[in-house]
């Protein structure tokens, strides 16, 4: 929280006590290794950018429009300059811009590039100490401190997360040529951050326990497992975590299964049907409401956990949980909405320790949010069997669009799986013959069109002119007359 007890972000001008007393124009410090980043914001694959807006330049544009000023420094002096600037008592806020560098940085300062693997998750060049020192001085002066992290992959932010002087952490990846402007918009509330982490963020301890060449997903001797599906430790940040300036609440998902769902899932697992061709066996409806005054986009991630305990699942080779589907909706201030997420047969299967695709009948748990949300009031349960599971009070879902996948036929007999609407079960030779036949038809059609319509442009070169059109000489036709016409 800020010094006045409110949230650190979005930043508000005149947050310090001294600045309010003298009516001082806002003064914001933008400091740290990546405060002046330019080409490094482009990542590893980029062309010639027509412009490059650094974090310092982006914040300066916003603050200058309010009549204020910005202090920028890359922290090469260890923080002495910014700490002296904070000491005058007239500052408004401190924005620390830390992280890694990409291919756009000078060659001797590149952290993440092709052909170079990081051996550590820690912030390089002593940035943890720099963040702690500057944040402590800013907190002593009553200033809000926001940390912006620029990186392509995860970094260990354990120290900053536990630091009471760091009020907010904003990860921006490598934000591109106008990254500084986008960062400023997020810091000052012009836009509402709504992203979710696409990776599990580990601590440095993970690199010490697991070798870089150890690619085992499941936990075992010498490894706690990889990814949100199998990792058994406590990460710094979970897969799917993310905050927003809006106050969006999500009700527990309302899950329904069609009759014959279990048989359909087992049948597709045996035939190794891919997800894109998998039939629908149910759905989950999630009710959302934006209780705050700020409009925002909200990402809905639907997770599911198979029956049995986490230990029993992992012992059988099953994951702790699965990400079934996700969607993103726009919510205005005070708006409520419902999101309908389809559940396919493939979604409720997983590979066992032997590599076979299987499923687990029984009570599955469903929730939305981040990967660690499988407990508490936001969780719902539904029994996977051949009987239909229909909630007693199903909220009305949104009207299906023509692009929605077809639903399973209701009332299908439990003894047999419902027919798949996709040609997934066709043998490979049949599919190849269909493709070859379609190609031959296309070639024949193009040849006919050329013979009929291409004569006017082709003239007499290489063609026979007849009363009803043009025919190529290489067809091998032997004719004296064609429907009363003469051969030219």
């Amino acid at each position: 929280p800020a010094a006045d007890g409110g949230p650190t972000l979005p930043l508000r001008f005149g947050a310090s006590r001294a600045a309010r007393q003298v009516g001082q124009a806002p003064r914001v410090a933008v400091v740290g290794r990546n405060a002046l980043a330019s080409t490094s914001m482009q990542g590893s694959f980029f062309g010639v950018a027509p412009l490059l807006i650094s974090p310092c330049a982006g914040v300066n544009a916003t603050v200058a429009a309010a009549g204020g000023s910005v202090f920028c420094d890359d922290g090469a002096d260890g923080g002495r300059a910014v700490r002296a600037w904070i000491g005058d008592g007239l500052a408004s806020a401190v924005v620390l811009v830390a992280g890694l560098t990409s291919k756009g940085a000078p060659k001797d300062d590149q952290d993440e590039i092709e052909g170079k693997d990081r051996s550590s998750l820690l912030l390089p060049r002593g940035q943890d100490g720099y963040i702690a020192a500057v944040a402590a001085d800013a907190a002593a002066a009553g200033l809000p401190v926001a940390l912006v992290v620029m990186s392509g992959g995860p970094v260990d932010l354990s120290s900053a997360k536990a630091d009471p002087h760091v009020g907010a952490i904003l990860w921006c990846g490598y934000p591109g040529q106008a990254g500084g402007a986008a960062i400023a918009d997020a810091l000052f509330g012009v836009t509402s951050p709504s992203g979710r982490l696409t990776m599990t963020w580990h601590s440095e301890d993970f690199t010490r326990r697991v070798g870089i060449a150890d690619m085992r997903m499941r936990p075992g001797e010498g490894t706690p497992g990889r990814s949100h599906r199998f990792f058994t430790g406590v990460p710094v940040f979970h897969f799917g975590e993310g905050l927003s300036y809006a106050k969006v609440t999500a009700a527990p998902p309302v899950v329904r299964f069609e009759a014959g769902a279990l048989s359909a899932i087992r049948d597709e697992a045996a035939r190794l049907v891919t997800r894109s061709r998998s039939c629908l066996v149910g759905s989950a409806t999630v009710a959302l409401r934006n209780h705050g005054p700020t409009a925002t986009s909200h990402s809905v991630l639907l997770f599911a956990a198979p029956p049995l305990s986490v230990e029993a699942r992992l012992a059988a080779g099953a994951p702790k949980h699965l990400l079934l589907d996700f969607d993103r909706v726009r919510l205005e201030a005070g708006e409520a909405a419902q999101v309908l997420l389809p559940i396919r047969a493939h979604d409720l299967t997983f590979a066992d320790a032997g590599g076979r695709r299987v499923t687990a009948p029984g009570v599955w748990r469903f929730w939305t949010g981040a990967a660690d949300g499988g407990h508490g009031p936001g969780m719902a349960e539904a029994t996977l069997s051949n009987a239909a599971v229909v909630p007693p009070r199903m909220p009305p879902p949104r009207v299906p669009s023509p692009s929605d996948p077809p639903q399973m036929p209701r009332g299908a007999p439990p003894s047999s799986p419902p027919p798949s609407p996709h040609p997934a079960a066709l043998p490979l030779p049949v599919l190849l013959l269909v493709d070859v036949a379609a190609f031959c038809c296309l070639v024949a059609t193009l040849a006919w069109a050329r013979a009929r319509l291409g004569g006017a442009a082709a003239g007499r070169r290489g063609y026979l002119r007849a009363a009803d059109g043009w025919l190529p000489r290489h067809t091998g036709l032997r004719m004296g007359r064609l429907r009363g016409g003469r051969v030219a």
Side-chain angles (χ1 to χ4, degrees):
D4 59 2
T8 299
L9 294 182
L11 292 174
R12 293 152 292 160
F13 294 126
S16 70
R17 185 182 303 105
R20 289 196 299 269
Q21 288 174 349
V22 301
Q24 175 70 35
R27 300 176 64 191
V28 180
V30 183
V31 296
R33 184 192 187 193
N34 287 327
L36 305 176
S38 56
T39 53
S40 182
M41 295 190 300
Q42 300 174 100
S44 295
F45 301 94
F46 53 88
V48 179
L51 54 90
L52 288 167
I53 304 176
S54 69
C56 176
V59 173
N60 182 66
T62 301
V63 175
S69 59
V70 171
F71 175 84
C72 295
D73 183 66
D74 63 2
D77 63 352
R80 290 188 297 272
V82 65
R83 294 169 73 182
W85 182 84
I86 291 173
D88 66 13
L90 299 178
S92 301
V94 174
V95 177
L96 289 157
V97 189
L100 307 178
T101 57
S102 69
K103 186 178 180 180
K107 288 189 176 181
D108 60 347
D109 194 32
Q110 295 174 342
D111 299 321
E112 294 182 306
I113 60 173
E114 284 198 65
K116 179 181 180 181
D117 292 322
R118 285 189 290 148
S119 59
S120 172
L121 292 173
L122 294 174
L123 291 172
R125 299 178 180 262
Q127 292 182 82
D128 281 328
Y130 178 87
I131 293 170
V134 174
D137 282 12
L143 304 181
V145 178
L147 172 61
V148 178
V149 180
M150 190 178 298
S151 69
V155 290
D156 184 358
L157 297 180
S158 301
S159 297
K161 182 181 179 181
D163 192 335
H165 303 139
V166 177
I169 299 176
L170 176 68
W171 179 61
C172 64
Y174 290 118
Q177 63 183 29
I183 291 172
D185 286 347
L187 289 174
F188 292 103
V190 178
T191 58
S192 176
S194 58
R196 298 298 183 98
L197 290 180
T198 59
M199 298 163 284
T200 300
W201 286 42
H202 297 287
S203 64
E204 177 67 7
D205 179 66
F206 183 82
T207 64
R208 301 189 184 104
R209 296 178 60 186
V210 183
I212 194 171
D214 187 348
M215 297 299 168
R216 288 177 293 171
M217 294 292 293
R218 292 173 173 80
E221 184 178 356
T223 176
R226 287 181 180 269
S227 83
H228 69 94
R229 300 191 307 148
F230 294 102
F231 181 61
T232 55
V234 180
V236 180
F237 294 108
H238 290 272
F239 170 79
E241 277 198 76
L243 301 176
S244 171
Y245 297 151
K247 298 178 181 179
V248 179
T249 59
V254 179
V255 180
R256 62 174 297 156
F257 289 133
E258 299 288 353
L262 181 58
S263 294
I265 294 171
R266 285 173 169 168
D267 175 70
E268 290 198 1
R271 294 186 291 119
L272 299 180
V273 177
T274 59
R275 189 179 190 277
S276 62
R277 298 179 180 274
S278 182
C279 70
L280 299 180
V281 294
S283 64
T285 303
V286 182
L288 304 174
R289 181 175 292 277
N290 183 1
H291 297 274
T294 304
T296 187
S297 292
H298 186 76
S299 298
V300 181
L301 281 67
L302 178 64
F303 291 90
L308 304 179
S309 64
V310 173
E311 294 76 13
R313 282 178 240 147
L314 293 174
K320 297 191 303 180
H321 50 254
L322 305 164
L323 175 66
L324 302 191
D325 203 354
F326 61 92
D327 200 356
R328 188 179 181 92
V329 295
R330 175 76 177 177
L331 294 173
E332 299 298 326
E335 183 181 2
Q338 291 185 347
V339 179
L340 180 65
L341 298 172
I343 299 177
R344 298 179 178 274
H346 186 275
D347 296 336
L348 301 180
T349 65
F350 49 87
D352 63 11
R356 296 175 294 272
R357 205 80 193 169
V358 297
T359 189
V363 179
W364 284 64
R365 290 183 291 119
F366 299 84
W367 68 92
T368 60
D372 64 330
H375 305 280
M379 186 266 296
E381 294 183 345
T383 301
L384 177 59
S385 66
N386 276 323
V389 177
V390 181
R393 298 184 62 183
M394 184 72 175
R398 64 176 178 82
V399 178
S401 65
S403 60
D404 289 337
Q407 297 283 341
M408 274 185 53
R410 298 186 181 182
S415 58
S416 60
S420 173
H422 305 286
L426 287 178
L428 182 60
V430 176
L431 293 177
L432 292 177
L433 288 176
V434 171
D435 291 340
V436 171
F439 178 75
C440 292
C441 291
L442 177 62
V443 172
T445 302
L446 293 176
W448 178 85
R450 183 179 183 184
R452 293 286 296 173
L453 305 176
R460 295 174 176 268
R461 291 174 297 174
Y463 283 82
L464 295 174
R465 185 175 184 180
D468 59 347
W470 294 79
L471 291 175
R473 292 183 184 274
H474 61 74
T475 56
L477 293 178
R478 296 292 183 263
M479 64 184 73
R481 299 183 63 83
L482 180 63
R483 295 186 182 176
R486 66 182 181 83
V487 178

